[in-house]
Amino acid sequence: MNRITSFLLVILLFIGSGMSAKADPGHGKYTKAYVIGFYNLENLFDTYHDEGKNDYEYLPDGGNNWTEAKYAKKLQNMAKVIAEMKKDNGMWHAVLGVSEVENRHVLEDLVAEPAIAEANYQIVHYDSPDRRGVDCALFYRPEIFKFIESEAIPFTFTPSRIDWSQWTQEEMDAFRTRDILMVRGTIDGEMFAFFVCHLPSRLGGKGADLRPRGAEIAYQRAMELQKEFPGIKIVVMGDMNDNPGDISMTEFLRGKETIAEVNDEDFFDPFLSMIKDGYGSLYYRGENNIFDIVMVNKALAVAPEGTFQIQPIVKKKYYGRIFNKPFMTNQTGQYKGTPFRTFSGGSFIGGFSDHYPTYIVIKK
């Protein structure tokens, strides 16, 4: 085998693995970069009724007249966004958390879409007790992320530092929401844990306490993992239904705006600075918001040399990115400049999602 053939084989191997390869002149090695992100898929339902779930509006004879053709269009649209992110970054996401998915069936249909099938995404998913039947899930590339374990962490009211005196025991027993998904494994031998959240919505009068509690649950489990696996790198991502500056994120998840502020019990939240500078991942009641947050613990924010660390990726200033291409955005009309979603005013308009995906890049 001559030198040219050997070189071409190496390049093909890097392309196939989805890894960004750049020569390191100091050490004669390659640096590795991977994309880790989150996307709220806005009600990815199939056309069949799941027993025990309130999915009736997403049936052919339901309120949304949810037909196989509409479902197919929705799958194509979601796959297109994921594929466009790959095109933009030069690599597939190594790990992609998703929310608002009905079941494993829709996840399997999505990863099989021709536009993204080559990524060979594997799925981690649990059915959650949410009354609408929407869950969180994780896609990962098995050649990059080596899966070890996963768990669905249920929403509970205790142990908590939140005062629940306004809630009756009957109300607490009846409350249902999405579980938090935790997936643990390794990337290039380094231990990682990914949390995928979809915290309780802003609908209803008592949600202001529920979101901090959801953040508290994720935080408590993350701190347990840090004690059990010293040096573990943790990513907490999801649709938080709160902004980076809300107390759920700053007090209960201890999100900090700068890496310099982060200690062993904190998380670095790249989107705190971005929302202050006018960026948004969705528009809620006419306001610009970033509910789609990806944050990292100190082990990933301030990493030892030669190990994976979060990288600035937007203007060499911001450590997070909101992916909002023109085809995903309303170009005219009342909602100009906002995400081009699947439904508007109860009518199917064939868009993508009411959220833009967000992501970070890690590199060693």
Side-chain angles (χ1 to χ4, degrees):
M1 185 180 294
N2 61 40
R3 290 182 179 180
I4 294 175
T5 304
S6 298
F7 177 76
L8 289 173
L9 283 174
V10 169
I11 295 298
L12 287 171
L13 282 172
F14 278 118
I15 293 171
S17 69
M19 182 167 64
S20 174
K22 297 181 181 179
D24 179 350
H27 300 89
K29 298 180 181 178
Y30 288 91
T31 59
K32 298 178 181 178
Y34 297 117
V35 180
I36 296 169
F38 172 79
Y39 194 15
N40 180 322
L41 302 181
E42 193 199 2
N43 296 317
L44 182 56
F45 281 78
D46 60 27
T47 61
Y48 306 99
H49 174 58
D50 282 5
E51 191 65 33
K53 295 184 179 181
N54 184 16
D55 59 358
Y56 297 103
E57 63 181 329
Y58 286 95
L59 298 176
D61 58 354
N64 290 325
N65 301 122
W66 194 239
T67 63
E68 286 292 334
K70 291 177 181 177
Y71 174 55
K73 175 65 173 174
K74 177 71 173 178
L75 289 170
Q76 291 165 9
N77 283 356
M78 298 297 90
K80 179 177 180 179
V81 173
I82 296 169
E84 286 293 323
M85 286 192 284
K86 186 264 184 181
K87 180 179 178 181
D88 222 52
N89 293 313
M91 61 183 125
W92 296 104
H93 279 62
V95 173
L96 177 62
V98 296
S99 70
E100 288 199 18
V101 296
E102 183 184 16
N103 50 38
R104 188 177 182 92
H105 171 231
V106 301
L107 295 165
E108 291 174 346
D109 283 351
L110 177 54
V111 300
E113 278 290 307
I116 64 172
E118 72 174 48
N120 187 34
Y121 282 122
Q122 304 301 295
I123 299 166
V124 184
H125 167 263
Y126 294 86
D127 285 314
S128 77
D130 182 83
R131 295 195 186 283
R132 283 206 312 125
V134 291
D135 310 322
C136 296
L138 189 84
F139 295 150
Y140 69 93
R141 301 197 68 203
E143 61 270 42
I144 298 171
F145 177 70
K146 306 304 181 183
F147 173 88
I148 295 175
E149 66 168 350
S150 64
E151 62 180 315
I153 307 170
F155 186 99
T156 59
F157 286 85
T158 58
S160 177
R161 57 191 176 97
I162 299 171
D163 178 9
W164 299 108
S165 58
Q166 63 171 318
W167 287 71
T168 68
Q169 189 61 50
E170 290 76 15
E171 286 176 321
M172 288 190 283
D173 291 344
F175 181 71
R176 300 286 185 274
T177 191
R178 284 77 60 174
D179 295 332
I180 294 171
L181 175 63
M182 190 287 292
V183 183
R184 186 171 66 87
T186 62
I187 299 177
D188 204 32
E190 297 181 34
M191 184 75 71
F192 278 79
F194 298 98
F195 288 77
V196 187
C197 310
H198 187 185
L199 299 187
S201 75
R202 294 189 165 213
L203 300 175
K206 295 181 178 179
D209 288 332
L210 297 172
R211 290 184 297 282
R213 175 55 187 155
E216 185 180 43
I217 290 168
Y219 182 82
Q220 289 170 343
R221 185 68 181 111
M223 292 302 104
E224 290 173 357
L225 288 172
Q226 286 194 167
K227 289 180 181 178
E228 187 176 358
F229 304 102
I232 188 172
K233 296 181 175 182
I234 300 176
V235 179
V236 179
M237 66 178 87
D239 177 357
M240 306 302 188
N241 273 308
D242 266 342
N243 279 306
D246 291 328
I247 63 167
S248 60
M249 299 295 102
T250 58
E251 294 185 23
F252 287 85
L253 261 171
R254 296 185 60 151
K256 305 297 182 183
E257 184 174 350
T258 66
I259 290 176
E261 298 174 82
V262 177
N263 65 37
D264 290 338
E265 297 180 341
D266 297 325
F267 283 87
F268 169 50
D269 185 348
F271 297 94
L272 255 171
S273 59
M274 294 185 75
I275 194 167
K276 290 180 179 179
D277 289 347
Y279 288 84
S281 67
L282 79 156
Y283 295 82
Y284 181 76
R285 295 181 177 175
E287 296 182 359
N288 188 51
N289 296 273
I290 302 178
F291 289 176
D292 307 275
I293 296 170
V294 185
M295 58 176 72
V296 304
N297 70 340
K298 184 179 179 180
L300 194 48
V302 188
E305 186 177 356
T307 69
F308 285 109
Q309 183 172 354
I310 191 171
Q311 300 294 311
I313 54 175
V314 177
K315 301 178 180 178
K316 297 185 178 180
K317 173 182 178 182
Y318 300 108
Y319 287 76
R321 185 181 179 191
I322 299 166
F323 189 78
N324 56 353
K325 295 292 185 178
F327 73 89
M328 303 159 59
T329 303
N330 289 299
Q331 298 299 315
T332 59
Q334 178 183 356
Y335 300 107
K336 181 179 179 179
T338 66
F340 178 29
R341 58 186 300 171
T342 305
F343 287 91
S344 179
S347 298
F348 179 77
I349 57 174
F352 296 82
S353 174
D354 54 346
H355 293 244
Y356 293 128
T358 55
Y359 62 79
I360 62 171
V361 171
I362 62 170
K363 186 172 74 171
K364 66 186 299 185

